[in-house]
Amino acid sequence: MSFRLFEEKHHASLYQKYRLSPAREVKELILKYLEEKKGPPHELAVDLGCGTGQNTRLLAPHFQKVLGIDVSECQVEEARVVPGFTNITYSAGPAEELPVPDGSVDLLTAASAAHWFDGKRFLKEADRVLKPRGCMALFGYADNFTLNYGSCGDRLSNIYEELKRTLQPYTSTQVAVSNSKLQDLYEAIPYPDKERIEVIPVKEEVTVGNTVGLLETYSTFQAFHRADPQAAASLLESTMTTFLKEMGVSSPDTKLELRLEYFCVLACKPQ
Ligand SMILES: C[S@@+](CC[C@H](N)C(=O)[O-])C[C@H]1O[C@@H](n2cnc3c(N)ncnc32)[C@H](O)[C@@H]1O
């Protein structure tokens, strides 16, 4: 079964605008792992659940070809309109049935996406498509952000925690899988050569507008929006207003510091 919670055009355009590009620290960790375990050539990387392509584009300079796959046609359409990445192809389809030959992939990635996959079918498909010594990197970030701006960081983080409580009833079971840092999926990987890094601390500078926009991309927020569009719109508005008030600024372009914790599951297919 596929979860189809990212299908709408509006949701896809929010993704293009507000999703964070994966942190440099995470990209470097993955490329170092691939280098150590497999080494060159780096012919093909496949980014699963690519959404609007933030992670796919980061991979482009490091591989001859990169394929971005997402089950949502709208997400893939948004990804395709970003110019300047001639070695990337996007395709709509499930991570459990990949349009690539056996033993052809150097690196498989999934950024904030593997919790939506059918774990058993995905791992079987990953094993089919990976080259010997090919690697997979499944990562995401915990929802325990902290926000910092001058001396009002704690108050901003409290506003975010309050928002999380409002969205709690709209949380899909798959979000709990992500919050477990993919523990069950990690345990199910049949390769002896695997590791799970539970905390990779990262700091990002983002505007208040982007922070609120990022919250809007969450599947939980979108579920709330479907249930009660007016309440969802006023939650966003009041979150923005309260952030700005606490910070003592008027522009949503004001930057604050977002601290987040990535996790990453890494595995290497045996020879
Ligand atoms: C939370 S988004 C992450 C998107 C992007 N990787 C990012 O980091 O912003 C999850 C994405 O996984 C896709 N997805 C969910 N189930 C999928 C499946 N079985 N196969 C491929 N993509 C899937 C959704 O359509 C959605 O675009």
Side-chain angles (χ1 to χ4, degrees), residues 101-150:
D102 296 0
S104 61
V105 177
D106 296 284
L107 177 70
L108 270 183
T109 56
S112 304
H115 54 293
W116 297 108
F117 305 162
D118 176 329
K120 206 169 159 193
R121 290 180 55 226
F122 158 63
L123 290 178
K124 194 163 173 239
E125 186 64 344
D127 189 54
R128 179 185 75 76
V129 302
L130 281 173
K131 292 180 183 176
R133 308 297 300 161
C135 298
M136 69 174 99
L138 317 173
F139 62 93
Y141 42 84
D143 68 347
N144 58 350
F145 294 170
T146 54
L147 304 164
N148 288 298
Y149 183 81

Side-chain angles (χ1 to χ4, degrees), residues 227-246:
D228 190 342
Q230 259 185 352
S234 61
L235 178 67
L236 275 190
E237 207 181 301
S238 66
T239 304
M240 173 73 92
T241 311
T242 326
F243 274 155
L244 293 174
K245 191 168 157 225
E246 289 292 350

Side-chain angles (χ1 to χ4, degrees), residues 111-233:
S112 304
H115 54 293
W116 297 108
F117 305 162
D118 176 329
K120 206 169 159 193
R121 290 180 55 226
F122 158 63
L123 290 178
K124 194 163 173 239
E125 186 64 344
D127 189 54
R128 179 185 75 76
V129 302
L130 281 173
K131 292 180 183 176
R133 308 297 300 161
C135 298
M136 69 174 99
L138 317 173
F139 62 93
Y141 42 84
D143 68 347
N144 58 350
F145 294 170
T146 54
L147 304 164
N148 288 298
Y149 183 81
S151 59
C152 64
D154 286 350
R155 292 199 303 279
L156 299 181
S157 299
N158 287 342
I159 298 165
Y160 173 64
E161 287 302 316
E162 180 61 39
L163 181 121
K164 262 177 35 186
R165 276 191 288 278
T166 308
L167 298 180
Q168 178 62 34
Y170 302 92
T171 305
S172 136
T173 49
Q174 297 317 110
V175 172
V177 175
S178 173
N179 289 342
S180 78
K181 305 182 177 182
L182 303 177
Q183 184 171 358
D184 290 351
L185 188 59
Y186 170 68
E187 282 167 12
I189 295 173
Y191 308 152
D193 204 346
K194 60 180 177 176
E195 58 194 91
R196 184 169 68 126
I197 301 148
E198 291 193 42
V199 179
I200 307 164
V202 163
K203 290 180 196 171
E204 302 269 3
E205 259 215 338
V206 286
T207 65
V208 184
N210 274 2
T211 306
V212 176
L214 176 64
L215 302 172
E216 200 181 350
T217 69
Y218 285 9
S219 61
T220 40
F221 181 84
Q222 290 299 318
F224 179 42
H225 187 266
R226 279 191 291 278
D228 190 342
Q230 259 185 352

Side-chain angles (χ1 to χ4, degrees), residues 34-43 62 64 106 131:
L34 181 68
E35 207 50 54
E36 281 170 12
K37 298 292 174 185
K38 182 188 163 293
H42 292 179
E43 289 166 327
H62 306 282
Q64 287 170 29
D106 296 284
K131 292 180 183 176

